[in-house]
């Protein structure tokens, strides 16, 4: 029972939402002691307190992270992941996701951390790591160049040159393309694009950004955002009436 609850929490944190049948499939795939669907139905009828404590809610036949419920994104999240395969890590890696703050530390994350530590924070790895963790969160839960720039401004980051700025942005784009995200059922954008050759979520463009004004790209399509397109920050407004012009650094 306790192990099954740990699986539910871990899978919800990894995927954002997960159907009870998928929980059953993955649990039985990774454990000798099998369960049947009634074990999950019982949990859904009488939700253990541990689920609520770990931000897991029940919506129909799904276990759902409460962030999705709070922002009324359940239907949209289902649409975004339709037909996409599930990333299923080994059991020891999977259960690390019981910690809501856990994320897979990729090579791209390490490269960004190393560069920021050496070139931006003069060897202060703790300050660099705090920024990297916030950037990782942005990559994981709704990539936005404007939010990245805001993080730089909040910390008073002063880039020495446009070349250095572009280098950092490129490292962040690489991180975003290799970050596991909910709408990809735990896959990274790069994995979906390269392994499965489906145009659900293309990698971000590798075009460099201007120091004065970064071209804004939609994370789901990889296309530059037009003035009359929905703003990628998620406000629901047109880009020209929202973030257009706010990305200037001077």
């Amino acid at each position: 029972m306790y192990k099954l609850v740990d699986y539910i929490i871990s899978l919800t944190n990894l995927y954002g939402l997960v159907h009870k049948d998928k929980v059953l499939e993955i649990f039985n795939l990774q454990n000798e002691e099998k369960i049947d669907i009634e074990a999950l139905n019982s949990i859904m009828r009488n939700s253990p307190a541990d689920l609520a404590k770990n931000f897991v809610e029940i919506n129909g036949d799904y276990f759902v992270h409460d962030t999705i419920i709070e922002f009324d994104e359940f239907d949209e999240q289902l649409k975004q992941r339709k037909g996409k395969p599930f990333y299923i890590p080994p059991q020891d890696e999977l259960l690390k996701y019981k910690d809501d703050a856990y994320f897979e530390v990729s090579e791209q994350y390490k490269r960004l951390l190393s560069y920021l530590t050496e070139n931006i924070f003069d060897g202060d790895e703790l300050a660099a790591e705090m920024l990297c963790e916030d950037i990782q969160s942005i990559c994981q839960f709704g990539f936005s160049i404007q939010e990245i720039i805001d993080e730089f401004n909040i910390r008073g980051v002063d880039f020495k040159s446009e070349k250095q700025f572009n280098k950092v942005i490129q490292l962040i784009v690489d991180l975003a393309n290799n970050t596991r995200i909910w709408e990809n059922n735990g896959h990274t954008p790069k994995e979906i694009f390269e392994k499965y050759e489906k145009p659900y979520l293309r990698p971000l463009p590798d075009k460099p950004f201007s120091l004065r004004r970064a071209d804004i790209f939609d994370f789901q399509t990889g296309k530059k955002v037009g003035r009359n397109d929905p703003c990628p920050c998620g406000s629901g407004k047109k880009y020209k009436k929202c973030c257009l012009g706010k990305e200037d650094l001077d």
Side-chain angles (χ1 to χ4, degrees):
M1 171 66 171
Y2 292 113
K3 193 171 188 179
L4 178 55
V5 170
D6 286 350
Y7 262 80
I8 292 169
I9 295 168
S10 300
L11 291 170
T12 302
N13 285 336
L14 176 57
Y15 301 140
L17 58 85
V18 58
H19 194 279
K20 63 181 183 180
D21 289 347
K22 181 57 66 173
V23 177
L24 178 70
E25 174 190 332
I26 295 174
F27 185 92
N28 285 340
L29 179 68
Q30 296 187 342
N31 293 274
E32 291 185 6
E33 185 177 349
K34 310 303 180 185
I35 61 169
D36 58 25
I37 197 63
E38 182 53 36
L40 286 161
N41 288 338
S42 177
I43 287 175
M44 289 185 140
R45 286 193 298 267
N46 301 287
S47 179
D50 275 355
L51 293 188
K53 288 178 182 177
N54 287 275
F55 315 109
V56 177
E57 297 190 24
I58 295 171
N59 186 1
D61 288 333
Y62 287 84
F63 297 99
V64 187
H65 196 283
D66 69 357
T67 301
I68 293 175
I69 300 297
E70 180 182 354
F71 290 97
D72 194 25
E73 295 179 342
F74 180 80
D75 290 339
E76 182 61 28
Q77 282 282 335
L78 280 182
K79 290 179 184 177
Q80 289 177 348
R81 63 192 65 209
K82 185 177 180 180
K84 297 178 185 177
F86 283 80
Y87 166 71
I88 305 175
Q91 184 184 76
D92 57 345
E93 174 73 12
L94 172 58
L95 292 177
K96 292 177 183 178
Y97 283 92
K98 185 181 178 185
D99 179 357
D100 186 61
Y102 174 75
F103 62 88
E104 182 181 311
V105 178
S106 64
E107 289 302 316
Q108 291 75 21
Y109 179 92
K110 293 176 183 177
R111 283 198 287 269
L112 176 63
L113 176 60
S114 177
Y115 187 88
L116 292 179
T117 300
E118 181 178 350
N119 297 280
I120 304 298
F121 290 100
D122 297 324
D124 187 346
E125 186 171 355
L126 179 59
E129 188 168 11
M130 290 175 65
L131 175 56
C132 276
E133 288 181 355
D134 286 342
I135 292 172
Q136 169 74 31
S137 181
I138 293 171
C139 291
Q140 188 174 357
F141 299 110
F143 184 86
S144 163
I145 288 293
Q146 185 58 51
E147 285 192 50
I148 299 294
I149 292 173
D150 289 344
E151 289 297 330
F152 293 150
N153 290 335
I154 289 169
R155 289 169 169 81
V157 173
D158 185 19
F159 294 99
K160 297 181 177 69
S161 66
E162 183 171 335
K163 181 179 179 181
Q164 186 184 68
F165 174 79
N166 283 330
K167 173 65 175 179
V168 171
I169 291 297
Q170 184 58 65
L171 288 169
I172 293 171
V173 167
D174 290 342
L175 173 61
N177 279 328
N178 290 277
T179 295
R180 303 200 176 281
I181 56 178
W182 284 353
E183 54 262 42
N184 279 355
N185 287 328
H187 281 288
T188 70
K190 186 176 181 181
E191 286 172 344
I192 288 291
F193 181 64
E194 291 185 349
K195 290 186 178 181
Y196 300 99
E197 299 180 345
K198 296 179 181 179
Y200 295 118
L201 189 58
R202 295 184 180 277
L204 292 170
D206 54 11
K207 175 182 176 182
F209 294 83
S210 165
L211 182 59
R212 286 181 55 80
R213 174 165 298 184
D215 288 337
I216 302 301
F217 289 83
D218 187 293
F219 186 49
Q220 292 184 340
T221 65
K223 297 179 180 178
K224 185 177 176 180
V225 177
R227 289 172 56 83
N228 292 311
D229 292 337
C231 189
C233 76
S235 66
K237 300 178 182 178
K238 291 184 177 180
Y239 175 45
K240 67 182 180 182
K241 294 185 177 294
C242 191
C243 289
L244 179 63
K246 295 180 181 179
E247 63 271 22
D248 288 348
L249 296 182
D250 55 10

